[in-house]
Amino acid sequence: MTVYKIFKYLAILIGLISLYFILRVLFAGNDVIVDSADLQSSIVSPFLYVGYIVLFLTILITIIFTLKG
């Protein structure tokens, strides 16, 4: 399996996970999330963690390919 295929499947997986979390946010509604701290931590926080993971992977891959090239 080439590196391209691995990254392609990883990007699809991250996209599906992000789609799940954004749909949870949209279906919960803005007013409900703003009013409840419990919903903020259970709905919005996982979405932020996915963003942090994507940012970390992007930085890591950039550093690896910079040093390699």
Side-chain angles (χ1 to χ4, degrees), residues 18-31:
S18 298
L19 180 66
Y20 169 73
F21 286 125
I22 194 70
L23 288 176
R24 281 187 62 195
V25 170
L26 291 175
F27 286 130
N30 189 28
D31 296 332

Side-chain angles (χ1 to χ4, degrees), residues 55-69:
L55 177 65
F56 175 73
L57 288 175
T58 305
I59 292 170
L60 183 68
I61 290 169
T62 303
I63 291 171
I64 288 172
F65 283 115
T66 301
L67 294 175
K68 183 180 176 184

Side-chain angles (χ1 to χ4, degrees), residues 1-28:
M1 191 177 267
T2 64
V3 175
Y4 172 75
K5 285 186 179 180
I6 292 171
F7 286 142
K8 181 175 75 169
Y9 292 130
L10 183 63
I12 291 170
L13 178 67
I14 290 172
L16 290 174
I17 292 170
S18 298
L19 180 66
Y20 169 73
F21 286 125
I22 194 70
L23 288 176
R24 281 187 62 195
V25 170
L26 291 175
F27 286 130

Side-chain angles (χ1 to χ4, degrees), residues 27-44:
F27 286 130
N30 189 28
D31 296 332
V32 176
I33 293 174
V34 170
D35 293 339
S36 175
D38 292 335
L39 281 178
Q40 288 176 5
S41 64
S42 70
I43 292 178
V44 178

